[in-house]
mmCIF file of all heavy atoms in Angstrom:
data_model
loop_
_atom_site.group_PDB
_atom_site.id
_atom_site.type_symbol
_atom_site.label_atom_id
_atom_site.label_comp_id
_atom_site.label_asym_id
_atom_site.label_seq_id
_atom_site.Cartn_x
_atom_site.Cartn_y
_atom_site.Cartn_z
ATOM 1 N N PRO A 474 -28.548 -13.745 -0.066
ATOM 2 C CA PRO A 474 -28.976 -14.079 1.295
ATOM 3 C C PRO A 474 -29.852 -13.007 1.924
ATOM 4 O O PRO A 474 -30.652 -13.308 2.824
ATOM 5 C CB PRO A 474 -27.653 -14.232 2.054
ATOM 6 C CG PRO A 474 -26.665 -13.421 1.278
ATOM 7 C CD PRO A 474 -27.081 -13.585 -0.152
ATOM 8 N N GLU A 475 -29.727 -11.753 1.474
ATOM 9 C CA GLU A 475 -30.558 -10.689 2.057
ATOM 10 C C GLU A 475 -32.042 -10.895 1.753
ATOM 11 O O GLU A 475 -32.910 -10.362 2.462
ATOM 12 C CB GLU A 475 -30.085 -9.314 1.562
ATOM 13 C CG GLU A 475 -30.566 -8.876 0.197
ATOM 14 C CD GLU A 475 -29.847 -9.573 -0.958
ATOM 15 O OE1 GLU A 475 -28.958 -10.413 -0.704
ATOM 16 O OE2 GLU A 475 -30.171 -9.275 -2.127
ATOM 17 N N ARG A 476 -32.352 -11.679 0.711
ATOM 18 C CA ARG A 476 -33.744 -11.978 0.383
ATOM 19 C C ARG A 476 -34.246 -13.225 1.115
ATOM 20 O O ARG A 476 -35.435 -13.551 1.030
ATOM 21 C CB ARG A 476 -33.890 -12.192 -1.129
ATOM 22 C CG ARG A 476 -33.484 -10.994 -1.961
ATOM 23 C CD ARG A 476 -33.571 -11.306 -3.445
ATOM 24 N NE ARG A 476 -33.047 -10.213 -4.260
ATOM 25 C CZ ARG A 476 -32.880 -10.275 -5.578
ATOM 26 N NH1 ARG A 476 -33.202 -11.383 -6.231
ATOM 27 N NH2 ARG A 476 -32.379 -9.242 -6.246
ATOM 28 N N MET A 477 -33.330 -13.912 1.799
ATOM 29 C CA MET A 477 -33.682 -15.137 2.511
ATOM 30 C C MET A 477 -33.277 -15.027 3.985
ATOM 31 O O MET A 477 -32.938 -16.006 4.637
ATOM 32 C CB MET A 477 -32.996 -16.342 1.856
ATOM 33 C CG MET A 477 -33.286 -16.488 0.374
ATOM 34 S SD MET A 477 -32.359 -17.847 -0.424
ATOM 35 C CE MET A 477 -33.306 -19.282 0.088
ATOM 36 N N ALA A 478 -33.301 -13.798 4.502
ATOM 37 C CA ALA A 478 -32.851 -13.548 5.870
ATOM 38 C C ALA A 478 -33.931 -12.836 6.678
ATOM 39 O O ALA A 478 -34.704 -12.050 6.140
ATOM 40 C CB ALA A 478 -31.581 -12.706 5.859
ATOM 41 N N TYR A 479 -33.953 -13.127 7.974
ATOM 42 C CA TYR A 479 -34.823 -12.444 8.917
ATOM 43 C C TYR A 479 -36.297 -12.533 8.524
ATOM 44 O O TYR A 479 -37.057 -11.570 8.609
ATOM 45 C CB TYR A 479 -34.372 -10.990 9.103
ATOM 46 C CG TYR A 479 -32.940 -10.945 9.565
ATOM 47 C CD1 TYR A 479 -31.902 -10.656 8.670
ATOM 48 C CD2 TYR A 479 -32.610 -11.258 10.879
ATOM 49 C CE1 TYR A 479 -30.580 -10.672 9.090
ATOM 50 C CE2 TYR A 479 -31.284 -11.274 11.304
ATOM 51 C CZ TYR A 479 -30.281 -10.977 10.398
ATOM 52 O OH TYR A 479 -28.971 -11.001 10.818
ATOM 53 N N SER A 480 -36.668 -13.702 8.044
ATOM 54 C CA SER A 480 -38.063 -14.006 7.733
ATOM 55 C C SER A 480 -38.271 -15.491 8.008
ATOM 56 O O SER A 480 -37.335 -16.196 8.381
ATOM 57 C CB SER A 480 -38.388 -13.679 6.266
ATOM 58 O OG SER A 480 -37.562 -14.414 5.391
ATOM 59 N N LYS A 481 -39.463 -15.975 7.820
ATOM 60 C CA LYS A 481 -39.747 -17.377 8.075
ATOM 61 C C LYS A 481 -38.874 -18.262 7.196
ATOM 62 O O LYS A 481 -38.836 -18.116 5.985
ATOM 63 C CB LYS A 481 -41.225 -17.669 7.809
ATOM 64 C CG LYS A 481 -41.638 -19.098 8.170
ATOM 65 C CD LYS A 481 -43.127 -19.310 7.963
ATOM 66 C CE LYS A 481 -43.523 -20.738 8.321
ATOM 67 N NZ LYS A 481 -44.980 -20.969 8.126
ATOM 68 N N HIS A 482 -38.180 -19.195 7.842
ATOM 69 C CA HIS A 482 -37.259 -20.062 7.102
ATOM 70 C C HIS A 482 -37.989 -21.287 6.593
ATOM 71 O O HIS A 482 -38.712 -21.950 7.343
ATOM 72 C CB HIS A 482 -36.092 -20.480 8.009
ATOM 73 C CG HIS A 482 -35.111 -21.378 7.339
ATOM 74 N ND1 HIS A 482 -34.796 -22.627 7.810
ATOM 75 C CD2 HIS A 482 -34.370 -21.211 6.210
ATOM 76 C CE1 HIS A 482 -33.908 -23.189 7.028
ATOM 77 N NE2 HIS A 482 -33.636 -22.355 6.041
ATOM 78 N N ILE A 483 -37.799 -21.590 5.312
ATOM 79 C CA ILE A 483 -38.421 -22.755 4.687
ATOM 80 C C ILE A 483 -37.441 -23.921 4.736
ATOM 81 O O ILE A 483 -36.277 -23.782 4.343
ATOM 82 C CB ILE A 483 -38.816 -22.446 3.227
ATOM 83 C CG1 ILE A 483 -39.815 -21.289 3.195
ATOM 84 C CG2 ILE A 483 -39.395 -23.682 2.557
ATOM 85 C CD1 ILE A 483 -40.143 -20.808 1.792
ATOM 86 N N ALA A 484 -37.877 -25.042 5.226
ATOM 87 C CA ALA A 484 -37.013 -26.220 5.349
ATOM 88 C C ALA A 484 -36.380 -26.568 4.003
ATOM 89 O O ALA A 484 -37.058 -26.593 2.972
ATOM 90 C CB ALA A 484 -37.812 -27.407 5.881
ATOM 91 N N GLY A 485 -35.083 -26.831 4.015
ATOM 92 C CA GLY A 485 -34.358 -27.183 2.802
ATOM 93 C C GLY A 485 -33.747 -26.002 2.090
ATOM 94 O O GLY A 485 -32.867 -26.168 1.233
#
Side-chain angles (χ1 to χ4, degrees):
E475 81 284 0
R476 300 176 186 173
M477 305 175 78
Y479 303 101
S480 59
K481 185 177 180 180
H482 179 238
I483 300 173

